[in-house]
Amino acid sequence: MIELNPFVIFLAAIFTNNMIFSNFLGMCSFIAVSREIPTSLGLGQAVTFVLTCTTIINYLIYHYILLPLGLDYLRFILFIVSIAAFVQLLEMIVERYLPNLYYALGIFLPLITVNCAILGVSLFMIIRKYDLLQSIGFSIGSGIGWTLAIVALAGIRQKLKKASVPKGLEGPGITLIITGLMALAFIGFSGIVQIQ
Amino acid sequence: MKEIIITTIAVTAISAVFAFLLTLADRTIGDYGEVKLLINNDKEFTVRGGSSLLSTLIDEKIFIPSACGGKGTCGYCKVKVHSGGGPVLPTETPFLTEKELKSDVRLSCQCKVKQEISIEIPEELFNVKEYIATVEEMENMTDVIKRLKLKLPEGEEISFKPGQFIQLMAPIYDGNDEEVYRAYSIASSAADKTHIELFIGYVPGGKATTYVHQHLKVGDEVRINGPYGHFYYQDDNDREMILVAVGTGIAPIFSILNHMKEENIQRKARFYFGAKTPSDLFLLDYFKDLEDTLYDFKFIPTLSRVTEGHNWDGERGRVNNALDKYLTDTEHKEAYLCGNPPMIQSVMESLKAKGLKDELIYFDEF
Ligand SMILES: Cc1cc2nc3c(=O)[nH]c(=O)nc-3n(C[C@H](O)[C@H](O)[C@H](O)COP(=O)(O)OP(=O)(O)OC[C@H]3O[C@@H](n4cnc5c(N)ncnc54)[C@H](O)[C@@H]3O)c2cc1C
Ligand code: FES
């Protein structure tokens, strides 16, 4: 495997290996919270922030605690614990210092805990044997990529409000179709770089 | 073996670090310091911010009715929040009507106290207190109804109006995994401020009633709070009273009649008591005796299902039938109804058909 520059990984995570469009991870909040651009943007920022921080924490836990002790099979449990704890912390901070964001995200904030994109990034970084800088590039990129995807979808859905969608497809149905089309479009980028 | 120990220690240590960080955050970021809580533009409290309005009020010994323990599922804990409550949360909207939203009504268990907050609650809730009472007596009135006499802690008193109710907490027990509060009307006289009596009917599978009927013993402690309720004896007039109860609905009426006896109130009253079979009747002699001691009182028990071979010389049929027979007019009268919703509904209809005005019918639906 050629040594990838962290910046290349960062770009690839946004465009060619977008968490949503190429891995289909983090779908539930992607569909649930993509009705309006401002809320999506808020959630996207929160996800990016959580992703970056938890990836660093998980990197340190994995390389400095689990590997030396030969406990790497515990990574699934411990990564989830660290993500859950971190989201709790973030929720307290947002509630305190960004009340408007808190009210907008409301009950969706805890959804970040079960956002599989977050666990996904932590696990990919290990499978792909990234070092710390590469992991950071990967996590920020994935976060921005996720935000890009959800904001784009929210934009489309806002336009779609005025469109006449067949009754049976309203809501999640049409959203999934749009997601598929967007994924097709993103595949167009995939010739540029490959990181997996 | 070594591996197991290392695994356990590693998982425990890492979780402990996170737990420690969260606790620390709770103490610092989650700590909103002291904030002002203004109630009814009149009483001001300084409280610790950060918890729900409901628990903040409970800490200040102000009890808001709640049946779900603050989970946001019962919708009982409504109060008006005039300022400082933040926007209405998605967890509250299902319980609030358009009108309530307009007049600042919120669920106090969902709304958090984070800054100076101004709220409005009914004045009588200030009188509500919590007590850890002791079961002093317990007696079977019928196969399914128990009478409970509770003694309040030494030095504490409850003042209530005859007809009001308290909430009793059923704790977690084998078969019940959550604490629940249920309403029970006070049957005893308001003059005794250190005891209360309750009549509790058994509901199969019911959380609170199974607790009372199968787990509670004389000498046990129970948590209660109260008094609550708009159903009580109206002492500002001398209208004749039409009292109607079925089943445990007798409890508040019992309290009202005892009050009239103790205060020697010169007021005409008729009590219609409905039951299914003779085994559902209780306190018959007590009410018969009241006919002699009260000023002008008649007791009219009625059975809808008289068992074969039982000699019953009282009324037959539903309370409605008895009412139709004895109540000729509603001139200068008022009514107090207690029992299940269908009974209340049908009695209300026939009272209204006889010309009794809505506002002179007081009722408590069980
Ligand atoms: C103002 C007020 C005063 C009350 N006073 C009294 C009183 O003095 N004495 C008294 O015994 N009760 C009284 N109740 C009723 C009491 O509060 C409880 O609802 C009742 O005891 C059942 O509680 P539970 O926890 O055992 O049953 P739950 O666990 O709440 O209910 C279990 C199941 O039984 C059903 N159920 C609930 N209540 C009844 C019922 N009455 N008949 C048939 N099915 C039912 C429920 O729908 C549910 O499916 C009063 C209620 C109110 C609102
Ligand atoms: S206490 Fe039940 S909804 Fe608030």
Side-chain angles (χ1 to χ4, degrees):
Chain A
M1 199 171 160
I2 24 162
E3 201 45 49
L4 287 163
N5 184 313
F7 187 65
V8 172
I9 298 184
F10 167 76
L11 286 181
I14 302 179
F15 297 109
T16 65
N17 288 71
N18 189 295
M19 268 296 151
I20 288 190
F21 295 130
S22 64
N23 297 102
F24 280 83
L25 287 178
M27 288 303 283
C28 65
S29 30
F30 176 69
I31 292 180
V33 197
S34 56
R35 284 199 193 88
E36 277 150 16
I37 293 181
T39 334
S40 315
L41 194 60
L43 186 66
Q45 286 163 345
V47 165
T48 310
F49 185 67
V50 173
L51 247 177
T52 315
C53 299
T54 55
T55 307
I56 296 173
I57 296 172
N58 287 343
Y59 184 90
L60 298 178
I61 292 183
Y62 185 75
H63 285 278
Y64 294 98
I65 301 179
L66 297 187
L67 272 190
L69 292 175
L71 298 174
D72 53 331
Y73 60 89
L74 280 180
R75 61 178 184 266
F76 292 91
I77 292 191
L78 287 177
F79 285 0
I80 291 178
V81 171
S82 78
I83 293 169
F86 189 77
V87 173
Q88 280 278 317
L89 209 62
L90 182 74
E91 193 177 343
M92 283 189 209
I93 296 173
V94 171
E95 183 174 0
R96 177 88 200 233
Y97 299 109
L98 303 165
N100 288 338
L101 184 61
Y102 181 75
Y103 291 123
L105 297 182
I107 49 179
F108 301 122
L109 209 54
L111 265 184
I112 295 183
T113 314
V114 291
N115 187 326
C116 19
I118 292 178
L119 183 62
V121 168
S122 286
L123 294 175
F124 282 156
M125 107 189 143
I126 285 162
I127 297 170
R128 296 178 188 166
K129 302 199 171 59
Y130 289 156
D131 63 20
L132 185 58
L133 274 185
Q134 287 174 319
S135 304
I136 294 175
F138 181 51
S139 59
I140 301 178
S142 300
I144 295 180
W146 197 87
T147 311
L148 178 71
I150 193 170
V151 172
L153 180 69
I156 297 178
R157 286 184 75 172
Q158 277 190 351
K159 286 250 182 275
L160 219 63
K161 268 190 201 144
K162 298 191 192 76
S164 64
V165 177
K167 195 126 197 76
L169 279 182
E170 273 170 16
I174 191 75
T175 312
L176 279 173
I177 293 179
I178 296 170
T179 312
L181 292 175
M182 289 166 78
L184 280 181
F186 267 71
I187 284 178
F189 290 121
S190 65
I192 307 174
V193 259
Q194 265 305 345
I195 55 166
Q196 57 191 5
Chain B
M1 190 59 205
K2 199 174 138 222
E3 192 165 307
I4 297 178
I5 295 177
I6 293 181
T7 312
T8 320
I9 293 178
V11 172
T12 320
I14 295 175
S15 312
V17 169
F18 285 124
F20 174 74
L21 284 179
L22 280 179
T23 320
L24 203 67
D26 202 38
R27 293 274 164 82
T28 51
I29 305 168
D31 182 1
Y32 288 79
E34 299 200 321
V35 294
K36 260 195 226 134
L37 166 67
L38 183 66
I39 304 180
N40 296 358
N41 266 327
D42 164 33
K43 296 190 179 54
E44 198 178 289
F45 297 85
T46 310
V47 298
R48 280 221 87 74
S51 16
S52 75
L53 181 55
L54 181 69
S55 52
T56 308
L57 287 171
I58 289 177
D59 286 345
E60 296 302 324
K61 303 277 169 233
I62 297 166
F63 294 94
I64 307 291
S66 95
C68 69
K71 287 214 240 0
T73 53
C74 69
Y76 278 28
C77 60
K78 290 174 185 171
V79 301
K80 284 189 181 172
V81 178
H82 291 309
S83 69
V88 179
L89 299 174
T91 40
E92 298 172 64
T93 32
F95 295 98
L96 302 173
T97 62
E98 281 291 311
K99 208 171 130 201
E100 284 174 333
L101 282 171
K102 279 210 188 81
S103 50
D104 295 342
V105 177
R106 303 281 305 263
L107 291 189
S108 61
C109 68
Q110 299 299 308
C111 172
K112 263 197 175 183
V113 181
K114 294 189 218 164
Q115 49 188 313
E116 191 169 328
I117 185 167
S118 158
I119 68 167
E120 186 183 328
I121 60 174
E123 207 54 52
E124 64 261 23
L125 286 182
F126 285 117
N127 193 16
V128 172
K129 292 201 194 82
E130 185 175 54
Y131 308 87
I132 310 282
T134 316
V135 181
E136 200 170 78
E137 291 169 24
M138 216 168 175
E139 173 191 10
N140 284 331
M141 306 305 286
T142 74
D143 297 346
V144 293
I145 298 177
K146 267 195 197 306
R147 180 181 69 92
L148 235 63
K149 185 168 184 188
L150 306 178
K151 185 181 179 333
L152 301 189
E154 215 50 61
E156 292 189 38
E157 290 192 342
I158 183 168
S159 43
F160 61 95
K161 296 184 182 150
Q164 284 192 306
F165 67 90
I166 53 103
Q167 291 197 99
L168 180 141
M169 188 196 79
I172 294 166
Y173 58 85
D174 199 14
N176 177 30
D177 52 10
E178 58 170 351
E179 292 182 351
V180 294
Y181 284 90
R182 294 286 182 263
Y184 294 100
S185 303
I186 307 174
S188 46
S189 147
D192 183 354
K193 292 185 189 311
T194 58
H195 292 85
I196 58 166
E197 286 182 39
L198 308 171
F199 291 130
I200 299 189
Y202 179 61
V203 174
K207 292 188 165 159
T209 55
T210 306
Y211 166 65
V212 168
H213 278 253
Q214 294 173 5
H215 298 266
L216 202 62
K217 296 182 301 294
V218 170
D220 284 356
E221 288 187 338
V222 289
R223 186 181 290 265
I224 58 172
N225 57 51
Y228 301 99
H230 301 291
F231 176 87
Y232 48 77
Y233 176 74
Q234 308 288 323
D235 55 7
D236 56 352
N237 69 80
D238 63 349
R239 291 187 200 98
E240 176 183 335
M241 299 163 73
I242 309 163
L243 305 158
V244 185
V246 297
T248 47
I250 208 166
I253 308 285
F254 193 71
S255 179
I256 291 175
L257 290 173
N258 276 327
H259 172 74
M260 292 171 68
K261 182 172 135 189
E262 266 152 27
E263 303 286 312
N264 197 14
I265 291 168
Q266 313 278 308
R267 194 166 165 182
K268 212 171 152 183
R270 297 286 174 267
F271 178 25
Y272 301 85
F273 178 46
K276 282 193 185 123
T277 64
S279 65
D280 295 330
L281 287 170
F282 56 104
L283 293 172
L284 282 191
D285 295 337
Y286 183 86
F287 289 115
K288 269 275 163 257
D289 289 345
L290 277 186
E291 294 191 337
D292 301 328
T293 43
L294 280 181
Y295 167 70
D296 181 357
F297 174 71
K298 281 261 164 341
F299 176 53
I300 306 148
T302 168
L303 287 181
S304 57
R305 252 188 264 150
V306 182
T307 5
E308 220 41 68
H310 186 92
N311 73 15
W312 171 249
D313 49 11
E315 294 302 314
R316 286 166 190 249
R318 297 181 176 276
V319 272
N320 252 335
N321 306 91
L323 218 56
D324 284 339
K325 186 164 154 193
Y326 292 99
L327 187 69
T328 42
D329 68 296
T330 55
E331 190 67 27
H332 201 60
K333 289 180 182 150
E334 63 183 18
Y336 297 78
L337 324 177
C338 287
N340 54 51
M343 175 292 259
I344 305 250
Q345 196 58 36
S346 65
V347 170
M348 278 237 270
E349 268 161 34
S350 55
L351 286 176
K352 275 193 243 169
K354 285 179 198 292
L356 193 60
K357 283 210 213 70
D358 244 348
E359 61 266 26
L360 293 180
I361 307 180
Y362 309 101
F363 64 92
D364 232 359
E365 277 184 350
F366 283 14

